[in-house]
Amino acid sequence: MSDDPEEGMLGWDESVFRDEHVFEIDWLPETFKHRSSQMETLKYSLRPAVRGSRPLNVIARGPPGTGKTTATQILFDELSAQTDVRAVRVNCQVDSTRYAVFSRLFAEIFDYEPPSSGISFKKLFSQITDKLVEEDEVLAVALDDVNYLFYESEASDTLYSLLRAHEAHSGAKIGVICVSSDLELDVIEALDTRVQSVFRPEEVYFNKYDQTEIVDILDERVERGFNEGVVGPAVLDRVAELTEEQGGDLRVGIDLLRRAGMNAEMRASRSVELEDVESAYDKSKYVHLSRRLQELSDSETALVEVIAEHDGKRAGDIFDAFNDASGLGYTRYSEIINKLDQLGIIDADYTDVEGRGRSRELTLNYDADAVLDRV
């Protein structure tokens, strides 16, 4: 037996990873497990489009990290590759207004971006519908994270334009899949009655994965992403356990595996140990927070920072500090508070304050230091 302590350690040009891209959020698995009933409902809704008819509308709901986006992307990729259906997924975290949604549709349909200014929504809309009718194409639109359109009060106008397109331009055939991770949002109830009357969606629910399912799904990532023998059963079970603690959000488990692998490499180890998982968890458990903060505007981020720095203080004190930092007034402040509350970053509850009537009490839903580290 060798006494060399460096025997069995990673060299500079070696890695525990076979393919690190497997741990990216946009990687699509070859086998999509434990979602057969949800996929069947989505296929049923999209099938009319293959026959040249308008597809059925759908609401796909469920907690974060339960496969809603992956299911939609897999089916849309199949439609684009195997049929003449035009299938476009719009990320509403990024495109959170009606104009932005239709600009994304324009770019996908025409293969170039619309002018950044000087073109009205009406013209943008008519160019899209003209093209669909001219090419005799059916358009399937997935509004991913549609809850962000509701946060910006843009959902009803956006859906109205999509669903009434055939009235504005005879022959236009558009169906919509609304994907939402906000379980407190009743999508239909929150829409204007003019939209409710034409939406009438199929509903599909993506329940959270249990620990056995999490192990099964992550095992494919381990086999494809790590070299053989790097991650053992005990490590994978612990990752699954911690993932289940975070609501079964697979994004936590995927990020945890990647960070644990990086920790192993930092130790020049050829295998991931439990200590690598435990130290990685301090960051991976905030994967939802990091993503939500990345999508905020500068003024929204500024208010989050003020709230974190003044955690536990009165709403009036927080507004004063925000006003000093941004120069924005109370109306915009109140709008941002509502959005942060809907995103689950804060709780903004009304309370009765003696001598002052009702006041909002602002509470962070995350550790203040974790928030400040990420803004």
Side-chain angles (χ1 to χ4, degrees):
M1 182 181 292
S2 173
D3 292 328
D4 185 355
E6 294 193 2
E7 185 176 333
M9 296 181 71
L10 281 176
W12 282 105
D13 59 344
E14 295 179 299
S15 174
V16 298
F17 294 104
R18 176 180 287 139
D19 180 3
E20 201 167 350
H21 179 61
V22 167
F23 303 102
E24 297 294 334
I25 200 67
D26 60 350
W27 186 80
L28 293 178
E30 285 190 13
T31 53
F32 188 44
K33 300 179 177 181
H34 308 293
R35 286 294 178 254
S36 57
S37 65
Q38 289 88 345
M39 290 291 277
E40 283 305 314
T41 301
L42 290 172
K43 285 180 182 177
Y44 166 78
S45 302
L46 291 167
R47 196 161 280 124
V50 180
R51 301 191 295 266
S53 300
R54 206 162 46 239
L56 302 178
N57 300 312
V58 181
I59 294 176
R61 297 174 62 250
T66 50
K68 300 180 298 297
T69 297
T70 300
T72 305
Q73 196 60 58
I74 287 173
L75 290 178
F76 274 26
D77 285 350
E78 289 179 3
L79 280 175
S80 298
Q82 301 173 20
T83 76
D84 293 327
V85 177
R86 178 78 67 165
V88 180
R89 173 182 162 266
V90 180
N91 180 356
C92 297
Q93 288 192 43
V94 177
D95 299 312
S96 59
T97 67
R98 181 177 66 163
Y99 194 91
V101 167
F102 276 83
S103 292
R104 178 60 48 213
L105 296 177
F106 182 100
E108 293 292 332
I109 290 170
F110 287 92
D111 293 324
Y112 61 88
E113 299 284 339
S116 57
S117 61
I119 179 171
S120 68
F121 172 78
K122 185 176 181 180
K123 186 172 183 181
L124 187 70
F125 175 75
S126 66
Q127 288 184 349
I128 291 170
T129 53
D130 284 349
K131 181 72 169 177
L132 292 174
V133 172
E134 179 186 324
E135 300 290 336
D136 194 25
E137 285 187 325
V138 179
L139 175 64
V141 179
L143 298 176
D144 202 2
D145 281 318
V146 71
N147 34 299
Y148 282 80
L149 291 179
F150 284 94
Y151 303 157
E152 301 294 341
S153 300
E154 294 276 348
S156 288
D157 285 346
T158 302
L159 280 167
Y160 187 81
S161 295
L162 288 168
L163 299 172
R164 295 281 191 179
H166 63 283
E167 295 181 0
H169 196 140
S170 179
K173 290 170 282 193
I174 301 175
V176 181
I177 298 175
C178 290
V179 180
S180 174
S181 296
D182 186 343
L183 298 184
E184 294 185 5
L185 174 67
D186 185 329
V187 171
I188 297 176
E189 190 64 30
L191 291 169
D192 294 350
T193 54
R194 65 193 171 116
V195 184
Q196 292 177 4
S197 64
V198 292
F199 190 27
R200 298 192 298 276
E202 301 291 314
E203 295 195 41
V204 55
Y205 186 75
F206 287 72
N207 55 296
K208 72 176 186 177
Y209 297 108
D210 62 31
Q211 192 168 332
T212 302
E213 291 171 334
I214 293 169
V215 169
D216 192 27
I217 294 166
L218 292 183
D219 187 48
E220 181 182 2
R221 303 259 179 171
V222 168
E223 288 184 9
R224 295 184 179 279
F226 286 110
N227 289 317
E228 188 175 353
V230 169
V231 174
V235 168
L236 182 56
D237 284 344
R238 181 56 178 156
V239 170
E241 183 182 347
L242 292 170
T243 302
E244 189 176 34
E245 287 180 13
Q246 293 297 317
D249 185 342
L250 279 183
R251 294 174 300 182
V252 173
I254 293 165
D255 189 73
L256 190 50
L257 284 172
R258 182 178 66 86
R259 290 183 185 276
M262 293 168 64
N263 286 347
E265 288 194 333
M266 195 179 298
R267 297 187 298 104
S269 173
R270 294 184 181 275
S271 62
V272 174
E273 306 296 338
L274 288 173
E275 65 189 82
D276 298 315
V277 174
E278 300 299 339
S279 60
Y281 183 58
D282 285 337
K283 289 186 177 179
S284 292
K285 67 183 177 182
Y286 291 118
V287 67
H288 329 79
L289 174 64
S290 296
R291 290 211 169 89
R292 284 170 178 162
L293 292 177
Q294 286 169 9
E295 302 298 339
L296 298 179
S297 67
D298 290 344
S299 58
E300 291 162 352
T301 301
L303 182 51
V304 170
E305 188 170 3
V306 168
I307 293 171
E309 290 171 344
H310 296 75
D311 197 24
K313 293 194 176 181
R314 290 189 306 109
D317 295 330
I318 291 173
F319 169 68
D320 291 341
F322 174 68
N323 179 254
D324 289 343
S326 67
L328 295 173
Y330 191 83
T331 300
R332 181 60 183 144
Y333 164 79
S334 184
E335 290 172 349
I336 298 174
I337 288 293
N338 289 336
K339 179 175 180 178
L340 298 178
D341 187 21
Q342 290 170 317
L343 285 173
I345 296 173
I346 66 170
D347 278 334
D349 299 322
Y350 282 97
T351 57
D352 291 317
V353 180
E354 187 175 350
R356 292 176 42 239
R358 289 173 63 76
S359 176
R360 292 184 104 171
E361 187 174 285
L362 308 180
T363 309
L364 273 176
N365 287 328
Y366 297 90
D367 177 74
D369 289 336
V371 172
L372 291 171
D373 285 345
R374 288 162 175 79
V375 293

